[in-house]
Amino acid sequence: MHTGEYLEQLVVSLRVRDVPADRIREIIDELEGHLAEAGEDPREAFGEPAALADSYVQAHPVPRARTLRGTTQAAIAAGAFLAPVLLGAGIDALVSGEPVAIGLGHVLGVAVVLAAFVPAFRLLWAFLDGRGSRWSVVAVFVGGAVGGLVMALWLTGPVLVEVPGWGVLTAAVAAVATVAGLVRSDPLPPPGASATSPPPASG
Amino acid sequence: MGSPRPWVSAMLDVLVLGVLRSGAMHGYAISRQLADAGFGQVKGGTLYPLLARLEQDELVTHRWQQGDSGPPRKSYELTAAGRSHLATAAAQWEAHAPRVSRLLEVDVHAGMGQEG
């Protein structure tokens, strides 16, 4: 494995473990310096990227407040999935002048999507970490989404509530706001940025 | 004869602090010093997370040094707490090592006596 490829995988493995971006940059800059001087094969020197990321997290634990729990990940995905559906239904209701009838099938469909997205995210994280198969990720995501949609569209059941178009549009905006609020932007600083950051307080 | 690997692993944090007693140095230089001192090749996958832990425990601190060529290097040095930790470890070792030596010597002779 080339140095660049190895370090890219290490970045992903550290990301998956919610290590802050400035800390990741520091780790990558340091290991790059080591490899430049030692001329070693990165896998030979540091072992598997996932195992190295585990060692770093063990040595320097990530604050619990930073870690994205499975439910948060599922909420992000569910919000991203529901927003366009709600937007379409809301616009359709406003144009036709008819309220959106929410039935048992819709509720069960959303439940199926949420239930599928929690394990799907676990599989996705494991895949990004260099473990597992991409097809299992695709299968659970697509299976959950399609299963939920089919259930919502085809399962007949009693109408539970009728919501006016503006109400559905408000829910769509709330879903977008939820996703925007939960997704954290933490871009990786450019290479060498660690050298220009202020030194830590000395003990 | 180099030191047995399990013994090096068990004492690696103190050995790294001991290497840093001579001054600030980066990770690769620390691993070379350890190898030169007979402790074998300490892999980067072991050394760098250990340095991160020592830093987390405030026993070492770091500064970045921009070289003439190549990427900047992260250089570690002992903190006051690190020096104090090292002094305690040195005193403990001084008391511990003779006890081990005595015990091993007795065992070795006892074993030889039984065989003979």
Side-chain angles (χ1 to χ4, degrees), chain B residues 17-34:
Chain B
L17 293 177
V19 166
L20 288 174
R21 199 174 48 172
S22 61
M25 62 185 81
H26 53 72
Y28 182 59
I30 294 171
S31 72
R32 276 204 329 235
Q33 291 264 335
L34 287 169

PDB file of all heavy atoms in Angstrom, chain B residues 17-34:
ATOM      1  N   LEU B  17      10.427   8.020  28.148  1.00  0.00           N
ATOM      2  CA  LEU B  17      10.716   9.194  28.988  1.00  0.00           C
ATOM      3  C   LEU B  17      12.222   9.273  29.257  1.00  0.00           C
ATOM      4  O   LEU B  17      12.807  10.359  29.260  1.00  0.00           O
ATOM      5  CB  LEU B  17       9.947   9.107  30.318  1.00  0.00           C
ATOM      6  CG  LEU B  17       8.419   9.206  30.235  1.00  0.00           C
ATOM      7  CD1 LEU B  17       7.790   9.023  31.611  1.00  0.00           C
ATOM      8  CD2 LEU B  17       7.982  10.533  29.646  1.00  0.00           C
ATOM      9  N   GLY B  18      12.844   8.114  29.447  1.00  0.00           N
ATOM     10  CA  GLY B  18      14.285   8.083  29.687  1.00  0.00           C
ATOM     11  C   GLY B  18      15.062   8.606  28.491  1.00  0.00           C
ATOM     12  O   GLY B  18      16.033   9.359  28.644  1.00  0.00           O
ATOM     13  N   VAL B  19      14.632   8.225  27.294  1.00  0.00           N
ATOM     14  CA  VAL B  19      15.301   8.718  26.076  1.00  0.00           C
ATOM     15  C   VAL B  19      15.168  10.231  25.987  1.00  0.00           C
ATOM     16  O   VAL B  19      16.127  10.946  25.651  1.00  0.00           O
ATOM     17  CB  VAL B  19      14.692   8.044  24.824  1.00  0.00           C
ATOM     18  CG1 VAL B  19      15.116   8.762  23.557  1.00  0.00           C
ATOM     19  CG2 VAL B  19      15.098   6.581  24.749  1.00  0.00           C
ATOM     20  N   LEU B  20      13.994  10.737  26.337  1.00  0.00           N
ATOM     21  CA  LEU B  20      13.748  12.185  26.210  1.00  0.00           C
ATOM     22  C   LEU B  20      14.497  12.992  27.277  1.00  0.00           C
ATOM     23  O   LEU B  20      14.543  14.220  27.197  1.00  0.00           O
ATOM     24  CB  LEU B  20      12.241  12.479  26.293  1.00  0.00           C
ATOM     25  CG  LEU B  20      11.429  12.046  25.074  1.00  0.00           C
ATOM     26  CD1 LEU B  20       9.944  12.246  25.308  1.00  0.00           C
ATOM     27  CD2 LEU B  20      11.874  12.818  23.829  1.00  0.00           C
ATOM     28  N   ARG B  21      15.069  12.307  28.253  1.00  0.00           N
ATOM     29  CA  ARG B  21      15.836  13.028  29.289  1.00  0.00           C
ATOM     30  C   ARG B  21      17.018  13.768  28.663  1.00  0.00           C
ATOM     31  O   ARG B  21      17.452  14.805  29.136  1.00  0.00           O
ATOM     32  CB  ARG B  21      16.335  12.023  30.339  1.00  0.00           C
ATOM     33  CG  ARG B  21      16.725  12.675  31.646  1.00  0.00           C
ATOM     34  CD  ARG B  21      17.054  11.636  32.652  1.00  0.00           C
ATOM     35  NE  ARG B  21      17.976  10.629  32.079  1.00  0.00           N
ATOM     36  CZ  ARG B  21      18.556   9.683  32.791  1.00  0.00           C
ATOM     37  NH1 ARG B  21      18.318   9.593  34.076  1.00  0.00           N
ATOM     38  NH2 ARG B  21      19.367   8.809  32.236  1.00  0.00           N
ATOM     39  N   SER B  22      17.517  13.205  27.541  1.00  0.00           N
ATOM     40  CA  SER B  22      18.675  13.849  26.908  1.00  0.00           C
ATOM     41  C   SER B  22      18.284  15.043  26.045  1.00  0.00           C
ATOM     42  O   SER B  22      19.146  15.736  25.513  1.00  0.00           O
ATOM     43  CB  SER B  22      19.440  12.827  26.067  1.00  0.00           C
ATOM     44  OG  SER B  22      18.597  12.327  25.064  1.00  0.00           O
ATOM     45  N   GLY B  23      17.009  15.288  25.883  1.00  0.00           N
ATOM     46  CA  GLY B  23      16.591  16.466  25.109  1.00  0.00           C
ATOM     47  C   GLY B  23      15.424  16.165  24.204  1.00  0.00           C
ATOM     48  O   GLY B  23      15.005  15.014  24.074  1.00  0.00           O
ATOM     49  N   ALA B  24      14.911  17.223  23.567  1.00  0.00           N
ATOM     50  CA  ALA B  24      13.736  17.074  22.696  1.00  0.00           C
ATOM     51  C   ALA B  24      14.103  16.270  21.451  1.00  0.00           C
ATOM     52  O   ALA B  24      15.200  16.429  20.911  1.00  0.00           O
ATOM     53  CB  ALA B  24      13.221  18.444  22.290  1.00  0.00           C
ATOM     54  N   MET B  25      13.211  15.395  21.026  1.00  0.00           N
ATOM     55  CA  MET B  25      13.426  14.693  19.758  1.00  0.00           C
ATOM     56  C   MET B  25      12.107  14.184  19.191  1.00  0.00           C
ATOM     57  O   MET B  25      11.122  14.067  19.921  1.00  0.00           O
ATOM     58  CB  MET B  25      14.447  13.560  19.890  1.00  0.00           C
ATOM     59  CG  MET B  25      14.099  12.453  20.819  1.00  0.00           C
ATOM     60  SD  MET B  25      15.479  11.277  20.961  1.00  0.00           S
ATOM     61  CE  MET B  25      16.538  12.097  22.140  1.00  0.00           C
ATOM     62  N   HIS B  26      12.108  13.916  17.894  1.00  0.00           N
ATOM     63  CA  HIS B  26      10.882  13.441  17.251  1.00  0.00           C
ATOM     64  C   HIS B  26      10.794  11.921  17.328  1.00  0.00           C
ATOM     65  O   HIS B  26      11.750  11.244  17.738  1.00  0.00           O
ATOM     66  CB  HIS B  26      10.777  13.945  15.825  1.00  0.00           C
ATOM     67  CG  HIS B  26      11.962  13.665  14.963  1.00  0.00           C
ATOM     68  ND1 HIS B  26      12.249  12.415  14.512  1.00  0.00           N
ATOM     69  CD2 HIS B  26      12.925  14.482  14.484  1.00  0.00           C
ATOM     70  CE1 HIS B  26      13.341  12.458  13.772  1.00  0.00           C
ATOM     71  NE2 HIS B  26      13.767  13.711  13.751  1.00  0.00           N
ATOM     72  N   GLY B  27       9.638  11.407  16.942  1.00  0.00           N
ATOM     73  CA  GLY B  27       9.333   9.994  17.149  1.00  0.00           C
ATOM     74  C   GLY B  27      10.349   9.042  16.531  1.00  0.00           C
ATOM     75  O   GLY B  27      10.764   8.076  17.180  1.00  0.00           O
ATOM     76  N   TYR B  28      10.751   9.316  15.297  1.00  0.00           N
ATOM     77  CA  TYR B  28      11.676   8.400  14.632  1.00  0.00           C
ATOM     78  C   TYR B  28      13.020   8.366  15.366  1.00  0.00           C
ATOM     79  O   TYR B  28      13.640   7.316  15.517  1.00  0.00           O
ATOM     80  CB  TYR B  28      11.849   8.799  13.170  1.00  0.00           C
ATOM     81  CG  TYR B  28      12.751   7.872  12.401  1.00  0.00           C
ATOM     82  CD1 TYR B  28      12.455   6.512  12.299  1.00  0.00           C
ATOM     83  CD2 TYR B  28      13.902   8.348  11.776  1.00  0.00           C
ATOM     84  CE1 TYR B  28      13.283   5.649  11.607  1.00  0.00           C
ATOM     85  CE2 TYR B  28      14.735   7.500  11.071  1.00  0.00           C
ATOM     86  CZ  TYR B  28      14.421   6.147  10.990  1.00  0.00           C
ATOM     87  OH  TYR B  28      15.245   5.298  10.304  1.00  0.00           O
ATOM     88  N   ALA B  29      13.471   9.547  15.840  1.00  0.00           N
ATOM     89  CA  ALA B  29      14.737   9.607  16.587  1.00  0.00           C
ATOM     90  C   ALA B  29      14.610   8.824  17.899  1.00  0.00           C
ATOM     91  O   ALA B  29      15.557   8.144  18.315  1.00  0.00           O
ATOM     92  CB  ALA B  29      15.110  11.066  16.862  1.00  0.00           C
ATOM     93  N   ILE B  30      13.441   8.900  18.535  1.00  0.00           N
ATOM     94  CA  ILE B  30      13.232   8.144  19.775  1.00  0.00           C
ATOM     95  C   ILE B  30      13.349   6.645  19.490  1.00  0.00           C
ATOM     96  O   ILE B  30      14.021   5.908  20.222  1.00  0.00           O
ATOM     97  CB  ILE B  30      11.850   8.466  20.383  1.00  0.00           C
ATOM     98  CG1 ILE B  30      11.787   9.925  20.840  1.00  0.00           C
ATOM     99  CG2 ILE B  30      11.540   7.540  21.555  1.00  0.00           C
ATOM    100  CD1 ILE B  30      10.399  10.395  21.255  1.00  0.00           C
ATOM    101  N   SER B  31      12.709   6.192  18.397  1.00  0.00           N
ATOM    102  CA  SER B  31      12.753   4.751  18.091  1.00  0.00           C
ATOM    103  C   SER B  31      14.177   4.307  17.760  1.00  0.00           C
ATOM    104  O   SER B  31      14.604   3.216  18.123  1.00  0.00           O
ATOM    105  CB  SER B  31      11.790   4.405  16.959  1.00  0.00           C
ATOM    106  OG  SER B  31      12.269   4.873  15.736  1.00  0.00           O
ATOM    107  N   ARG B  32      14.947   5.186  17.112  1.00  0.00           N
ATOM    108  CA  ARG B  32      16.349   4.833  16.802  1.00  0.00           C
ATOM    109  C   ARG B  32      17.183   4.740  18.073  1.00  0.00           C
ATOM    110  O   ARG B  32      18.019   3.857  18.227  1.00  0.00           O
ATOM    111  CB  ARG B  32      16.944   5.862  15.842  1.00  0.00           C
ATOM    112  CG  ARG B  32      16.613   5.561  14.393  1.00  0.00           C
ATOM    113  CD  ARG B  32      17.622   6.185  13.440  1.00  0.00           C
ATOM    114  NE  ARG B  32      18.181   7.417  13.967  1.00  0.00           N
ATOM    115  CZ  ARG B  32      18.167   8.589  13.335  1.00  0.00           C
ATOM    116  NH1 ARG B  32      17.618   8.671  12.151  1.00  0.00           N
ATOM    117  NH2 ARG B  32      18.719   9.644  13.861  1.00  0.00           N
ATOM    118  N   GLN B  33      16.960   5.693  18.984  1.00  0.00           N
ATOM    119  CA  GLN B  33      17.704   5.678  20.252  1.00  0.00           C
ATOM    120  C   GLN B  33      17.410   4.400  21.033  1.00  0.00           C
ATOM    121  O   GLN B  33      18.301   3.807  21.620  1.00  0.00           O
ATOM    122  CB  GLN B  33      17.278   6.882  21.105  1.00  0.00           C
ATOM    123  CG  GLN B  33      17.739   8.216  20.554  1.00  0.00           C
ATOM    124  CD  GLN B  33      19.041   8.671  21.195  1.00  0.00           C
ATOM    125  OE1 GLN B  33      19.333   8.277  22.301  1.00  0.00           O
ATOM    126  NE2 GLN B  33      19.800   9.488  20.493  1.00  0.00           N
ATOM    127  N   LEU B  34      16.139   4.001  21.022  1.00  0.00           N
ATOM    128  CA  LEU B  34      15.766   2.776  21.738  1.00  0.00           C
ATOM    129  C   LEU B  34      16.445   1.561  21.098  1.00  0.00           C
ATOM    130  O   LEU B  34      16.951   0.678  21.802  1.00  0.00           O
ATOM    131  CB  LEU B  34      14.235   2.592  21.724  1.00  0.00           C
ATOM    132  CG  LEU B  34      13.440   3.545  22.624  1.00  0.00           C
ATOM    133  CD1 LEU B  34      11.953   3.450  22.324  1.00  0.00           C
ATOM    134  CD2 LEU B  34      13.704   3.240  24.101  1.00  0.00           C
TER     135      LEU B  34
END
